[in-house]
Amino acid sequence: MSTFDIGARLAALERQVARMQRSTRLSHASLEDTALEVYDQDGSLRAIIGQQQDGTSGITVVNGPPPPQPAVPAVLPSLGGVAVAWTGAWTDAASAPLDFSRVEVHTTATPDTPLGTATMKATLESPRGGTVLVTATQPVYVRLVARNTSGTASVPSAAAGPVGPAAVVAEDILDGIVNEAKLADEAVGRMKLQIGAVGYNQLGIGTGNLVPDPSFEGQLTTNLVAGNTAWAFTDGNRSARALRVDAAAPTAAQAIQLTEFPVSPGDRLFCAFDARVSAEWKADSLRCYFRWHDAAGAVLGYGITKATPVPGTWARYSSQQQAPAGVARTSVWLSNFLGTTGTPTGTGDFDNVEVKTVVGAGMVLADSIGTPELIAGSVTAEKVAAKTLTAREVKALSLTGNEIAANTLTANHIKAGTLSADRLALGVDGNIIGDPSFEGEASVQRVAGNTFWSIVTPGSTTAKAVQVAAAAATATSRTLTLATLPVLPGQKVYLSVDYLASADWAGASVNIFAQWLDSAGTSLGYSTMNAAVSGGVVLGNWTTLAGVPDTASPANTTQMVVRLETLDSTAGTVAFDNAECRMVVASGAEGARAELSPLGMRLYDESGDEAVSLVTGAPNYVTLRAAGESVATIDQAGVASFQSLNVAENISWRGDDLLTFLNQSPRGIQAIDYQTVSGTNSTGTEMGFVELAFDAEADRMYRVVFDAYADPSVAGGEIVIFLRDGKTGSPTITSPQIQSVQYPMPTAGIRRVRLEDVRHGTAWGAGTHNLLISFRHQAGPAGQESRLLGGGTYRGFFYVEDVGPLVLETGRYNTGGGSTTTPPPTTPVPKKYTKTYNATWSGSYARRASYNSYYGNQMLQGYYSSTNGTQASLCGFGGTLSSDLSGATINKAELYLYFAHWYSNAGGKAVIKAHGLTSRPSTFSSDSEAMTVSWARNQGKWVDITSIFDSTKWRGIALDPNSTSSTYYGRARGVGESGAPQLRVTYTK
């Protein structure tokens, strides 16, 4: 009989069911390569837990209900846009939903414009609200849209607005923040300047002509006549433009002010101008006048220069005017004075206005009164106080034989020591030819009674020359004896002369020669500088013939005669100037010897071959030998060959220090560390791993690279690696972050990770930087650990690399043209250029005023003598410089100059300025900003002139020390010479 108790069995089953209901569901379950789906009471899918469709694992929320509608935001004007504030409030809910993701900020031109990706300008990530700045150029409406984690959008908020950007007022601009670099070109026009704000002390008035832009060719005059219907431009008198006044214009408009400047009572001013009137002109006169003002500005009177020219013809008018008592300043005006001529008609033209100070404060300025200012016979004996005319007041060489009565100068009148060799027909200073430039009585006597030879003017570089008439029916040679001197056998001579053969001259050659004679006067031979042999006779231009003839005086020579010659000529003339004959100093006649002449020095070896030649007018070279073999050579082109070269200081190449070129290359790795052990992060919070220090330079580029293994303990989440900079202190995980990188960790196990950053030294900051690599893991499973490590074979590494000189950023963002709301770029991406420009013109200016044609294209600066006074020079760079710099930003400007001479052997100082001239002017002018640079003799080098050449308006440079100190007297090479000026500009455009 069975003992089964069904009641007990049912009671046990009830207890088991109760325990199962009370226990945790799925406490021992797992999901193997699948996902658990969560549905709501309506059967809608709300979440997916486990493996997702794309192979990743996690929790994805889907089909969430729409968030509530955000409250209306507050919108306020801001600089460059609007400020949008949301308090976190909702119109239909008390708090944010638990699946809150963000609030989108949308701006539109109208309150009902449909919203989309193009209208979204920012997001607020916190459910508690916040404030964001949105850029805008015009008033906009602002609406907010909330989104949950499943991406479902709320109903947009009501629109707020329209609100536009705030205007920029004075309170918004920091004092001094708007400087010249922030103003656009020509942004400040005449309408922006307060009347009287720019006076004479703001204008670049010259110390010579006090009228700026006297020939009316600049922007100053263009601005002056702008809007004045009475005045216009016309063709000038020896200039591009002149000012024209319409006589029929309103009377008040027919006077125009050119400038103003301070004056003192008694000042005497010179005024001059060119004037022309039309055939129908009817008025009293054209005038240039001074309006005298006292300190309060009241008009005290006028100083007027009148012109009534013949119609259609330019004429010049001038006068001197004296400033009255009480005057403080004067203004200079041009006007068409109507007078009482009835109805005025026609036009009047002005050009080349000149205003200069003649007498300042009652004192006559130096050099202001010369012979042209004195009336004939005005200075008589009774006008000269006794003993007031001494040697100091008498111009050098102004008293000649013509001023001394016959037989009045005897031995008793000649002071002891005053009759020197330069007063005699004897050579001095090593030149055996007396009066070599043919300006004295000795030369008059040379040609006296000679039918074919005469003294003429001008000479090559002097006032006079000697000339031979070469015309003859048959080929004829004509000579003129310059000097006779006793000599010994074996003597060589240096011969030189400037000659000018007329365009119609015909003959075999033009010569200067020494004839060798014995004691009986018999000719033994000649040493000749022959123009035909030395490149051919040049016609029509002064040419120098110079050198040391190879022939020395032969045996039995006792006498030398130096002569000029036109050889076998039949037509024309030849003028001669600056003749020289100098003895060559030699240690012997043949074999090993040294020879020294005005051309330079030659050294000969035992075979009589030249070993060293340092002379002008012939190839120069130096050859060094050891044991009969050449070991070093410098040739006539400056090309040098050496066995080896050791340099203690700098090496220059093409004017630049060699370091300049080396610095253009990367310097490679500056600091490095290898990792062969690991750092383990058990908590997930940031921790340090490896530290590295390096020194940054502001003008270099640096790449920082960290490359190692990452090893998560389990799959999931991501590892974040940080680069931090502790600067000069010890770096920590709170030091400023420089860069970061994130790597997902989908599987456990090691993988290679890399962080890289590139930036310039200015961004780093010059000096020491202690860098730190730190890391953490995030979004991974609980209990996860992570490591950074390197192996013994496959090491991790952390290094800083110098990748080259500073490179400016010139790129920009580009949508690629795919956007329908933003058009693609229409201007090219800015690019950095470095271009070199050769000088196209150059020249020197005597007394910092007029162009000095004697020096051609050479560039002189400073004071040597009163002949040219303090000199300055200009050079300009043409080509594409103007177009290249148009619209560009200058990053760097460099100038190359070669100084061939300084007053001192130690060198001197160049004072460099900039100018905007496009061609060589007749008078000197430049910008006032200057920089001073030291130069050695015969040194060419590049110098950085960015500090003065900082405007795209500049077109060249000036050398202008404006000082009489010998430190500044030097000569730089100009256009057409080797080492001519060059300009190298680095710019972004």
Side-chain angles (χ1 to χ4, degrees), residues 673-676 706-709 752 789-791 794-798:
D673 179 78
Y674 298 101
Q675 299 87 51
T676 58
F706 170 74
D707 193 298
Y709 289 105
R752 202 75 182 182
L789 69 154
Y794 305 105
R795 298 178 295 181
F797 49 84
F798 179 24

Side-chain angles (χ1 to χ4, degrees), residues 72-94:
V72 178
V75 183
L76 297 174
S78 179
L79 290 179
V82 295
V84 180
W86 178 57
T87 62
W90 310 87
T91 60
D92 51 359

Side-chain angles (χ1 to χ4, degrees), residues 494 548 584-587 593-604 610-622:
Y494 165 80
V548 176
V584 174
V585 178
S587 60
R593 65 190 188 278
E595 292 184 356
L596 184 64
S597 74
L599 292 178
M601 180 182 67
R602 284 187 171 95
L603 301 180
Y604 297 84
E610 287 185 354
V612 176
S613 177
L614 303 177
V615 298
T616 58
N620 297 334
Y621 53 85
V622 175

Side-chain angles (χ1 to χ4, degrees), residues 470 475-476 504-510 532 537 539 566-571:
T476 303
D504 61 342
W505 177 86
S509 184
V510 173
V537 177
L539 303 182
T566 175
L567 178 65
D568 293 339
S569 54
T570 57

Side-chain angles (χ1 to χ4, degrees), residues 278-455:
S278 63
E280 68 277 11
W281 176 77
K282 183 186 293 184
D284 177 83
S285 58
L286 298 181
R287 297 185 175 189
C288 179
Y289 62 89
F290 301 103
R291 181 183 290 177
W292 312 111
H293 305 266
D294 63 12
V299 178
L300 303 179
Y302 301 87
I304 302 172
T305 304
K306 299 181 180 181
T308 55
V310 176
T313 303
W314 283 102
R316 190 157 185 83
Y317 300 85
S318 63
S319 70
Q320 292 188 17
Q321 305 293 331
Q322 188 168 17
V327 71
R329 60 185 175 88
T330 185
S331 53
V332 182
W333 297 73
L334 299 178
S335 74
N336 180 61
F337 184 69
L338 304 180
T340 58
T341 57
T343 303
T345 60
T347 59
D349 301 334
F350 296 85
D351 201 1
N352 303 318
V353 179
E354 183 179 8
V355 173
K356 293 185 177 181
T357 301
V358 177
V359 177
M363 302 297 291
V364 180
L365 300 186
D367 299 326
S368 64
I369 297 181
T371 303
E373 284 70 44
L374 295 176
I375 300 174
S378 61
V379 180
T380 61
E382 47 274 15
K383 300 297 183 183
V384 181
K387 298 184 179 180
T388 58
L389 286 183
T390 66
R392 183 174 62 87
E393 282 72 34
V394 179
K395 183 180 179 182
L397 303 178
S398 61
L399 291 182
T400 66
N402 297 328
E403 283 72 37
I404 302 175
N407 300 320
T408 59
L409 187 60
T410 65
N412 294 330
H413 298 97
I414 300 176
K415 183 179 179 179
T418 60
L419 190 58
S420 57
D422 60 340
R423 303 295 189 263
L424 305 175
L426 298 175
V428 295
D429 195 25
N431 185 4
I432 68 168
I433 300 173
D435 191 20
S437 56
F438 312 111
E439 300 184 51
E441 184 61 27
S443 294
V444 174
Q445 297 302 319
R446 281 189 182 117
V447 301
N450 194 320
T451 305
F452 302 105
W453 293 84
S454 61
I455 304 297

